[in-house]
Amino acid sequence: MFNFVKNRKYYFLVSTLVIVPGIVAMLFSLATTGAPVRLGIDFVGGSLFELQFSAPVTEDAIRDVFSQYGLQDVVLQELQPIEASMISGSRWQARTSFVEPEVTEEITAALSEQLAPLDKDATNVQQVSPTIGAEVTQAAVVAVVVATVVILLFIVFAFRQVPNAFRYGVCAIAAMIHDILVVMGVMSILGLLFGWEVDALFLTAMLTVIGFSVQDTIVVFDRIRENSRKRRGEDYEMLVNRSVLETIHRSLATQLNAFFIMAALLLFGGATIKQFVAILFIGMASGTYSSIFNAVPLLVSWEKGEIPLLSRGRRQQPA
């Protein structure tokens, strides 16, 4: 039988090499922008203009119009046209501090009059006050913390008949944190390079990734529990290795089906959901890896006393 678990140190090394660049990007973003990722108006508040002009316009021309209303710190980004029929014009996104609704109407009217007519169906203005943005940020942090505690308690309860059930919960949470760091790191890098912003859809994608990661990990843990009853006395590493080999085909087949669907959405889906789907794709790929290559090997390392801070407790246990 192929010894899958024995190469666990290499799996941990791969995870480290993937996570470290993201952590560096988050630290750089934190030092330069005050947040580890580029926050959208859902979190910091502000006004977001999506403008579709019927003719090409320049960034300087748009900035001049906004400056007429005292908005000097406008972040402008040219977007791809939503439909092929719009390719003759130009589409822009303008992100500003919070602007009152009546002022936004004046700005869009001025843009349409001074630059080029705006397509009303493709022009959209979103506004979130700073207070609501702060509440969304707080709710996001609370949601992740509560989900972590509930998952830990659930796994410990579900595996209460297995020795050291607490370890199963901690290893599942460790794999989940791995996935959060991967997604946050990738989002931070994409925010620095391409201006990707974290919005409410990102929070939805993150919670979905958390649920997926834990579910995939529990599938493997459950097989370990079954084999622990059937194969009493077998070496723990071999038992875990057997459990992984018995479930890996199921995990990969399930995830590949999901990846095919997400790949289709990335290629043919609308522009508004591509960032959401991309984050889901990255998170689920990380979840598939972490459940097999991190959570389970970590369980074996803990059992063998290979984790420095936890090996002391193991040595103190009676033989």
Side-chain angles (χ1 to χ4, degrees):
M1 182 171 59
F2 176 70
N3 193 338
F4 174 85
V5 182
K6 74 173 183 179
N7 297 317
R8 51 188 175 276
K9 293 183 179 178
Y10 296 106
Y11 308 149
F12 298 150
L13 177 62
V14 170
S15 293
T16 302
L17 294 176
V18 172
I19 289 174
V20 167
I23 293 177
V24 173
M26 285 190 284
L27 292 175
F28 178 80
S29 177
L30 184 65
T32 55
T33 67
V37 292
R38 187 182 174 92
L39 298 176
I41 64 171
D42 290 343
F43 292 91
V44 297
S47 297
L48 184 67
F49 295 75
E50 289 186 358
L51 309 167
Q52 173 62 47
F53 295 95
S54 58
V57 297
T58 64
E59 178 179 341
D60 291 339
I62 299 174
R63 199 176 294 280
D64 288 341
V65 174
F66 276 95
S67 65
Q68 296 173 15
Y69 294 86
L71 299 171
Q72 304 294 341
D73 56 343
V74 181
V75 178
L76 287 170
Q77 181 180 7
E78 188 170 13
L79 306 176
Q80 294 295 322
I82 298 176
E83 300 175 1
S85 58
M86 298 178 177
I87 200 166
S88 59
S90 61
R91 182 166 172 256
W92 290 84
Q93 182 185 82
R95 182 169 173 266
T96 72
S97 55
F98 181 75
V99 181
E100 296 295 336
E102 55 272 18
V103 180
T104 62
E105 294 180 3
E106 295 178 9
I107 293 174
T108 53
L111 289 168
S112 186
E113 293 173 1
Q114 299 180 27
L115 304 183
L118 285 169
D119 185 334
K120 294 183 179 179
D121 295 333
T123 297
N124 182 37
V125 181
Q126 301 177 36
Q127 293 172 303
V128 178
S129 71
T131 303
I132 295 177
E135 291 176 354
V136 172
T137 304
Q138 184 180 5
V141 174
V142 171
V144 173
V145 172
V146 170
T148 301
V149 174
V150 171
I151 289 169
L152 177 61
L153 294 177
F154 170 75
I155 293 178
V156 172
F157 177 77
F159 288 81
R160 62 189 182 281
Q161 296 178 344
V162 178
N164 302 314
F166 182 72
R167 295 181 182 178
Y168 289 78
V170 172
C171 291
I173 296 300
M176 186 187 77
I177 293 174
H178 167 279
D179 301 333
I180 293 175
L181 289 175
V182 169
V183 173
M184 292 288 289
V186 170
M187 194 64 193
S188 182
I189 294 172
L190 294 175
L192 293 172
L193 295 179
F194 304 110
W196 281 31
E197 294 181 345
V198 171
D199 54 12
L201 278 179
F202 175 83
L203 179 60
T204 304
M206 180 63 80
L207 292 176
T208 304
V209 168
I210 290 174
F212 168 82
S213 173
V214 175
Q215 183 266 341
D216 205 39
T217 302
I218 288 178
V219 169
V220 185
F221 283 180
D222 192 51
R223 183 56 60 94
I224 296 174
R225 179 174 59 181
E226 292 180 8
N227 284 335
S228 296
R229 297 170 182 168
K230 296 178 182 177
R231 301 179 180 275
R232 297 182 184 276
E234 186 176 45
D235 179 73
Y236 188 72
E237 181 174 342
M238 293 303 299
L239 187 144
V240 170
N241 188 70
R242 183 189 305 280
S243 302
V244 171
L245 294 178
E246 289 176 355
T247 56
I248 192 170
H249 64 284
R250 173 185 170 186
S251 295
L252 294 179
T254 303
Q255 307 331 319
L256 282 175
N257 287 330
F259 290 154
F260 290 149
I261 295 174
M262 286 186 288
L265 288 173
L266 279 174
L267 293 174
F268 306 109
T272 55
I273 65 169
K274 281 192 175 181
Q275 181 174 320
F276 170 73
V277 177
I279 293 301
L280 266 184
F281 189 94
I282 295 168
M284 292 182 71
S286 175
T288 303
Y289 180 86
S290 66
S291 62
I292 298 173
F293 295 92
N294 289 138
V296 176
L298 189 61
L299 203 59
V300 176
S301 294
W302 197 341
E303 174 66 21
K304 290 184 170 296
E306 297 172 353
I307 304 176
L309 297 177
L310 301 175
S311 59
R312 182 183 303 173
R314 178 180 179 275
R315 286 196 297 266
Q316 289 175 349
Q317 291 179 359

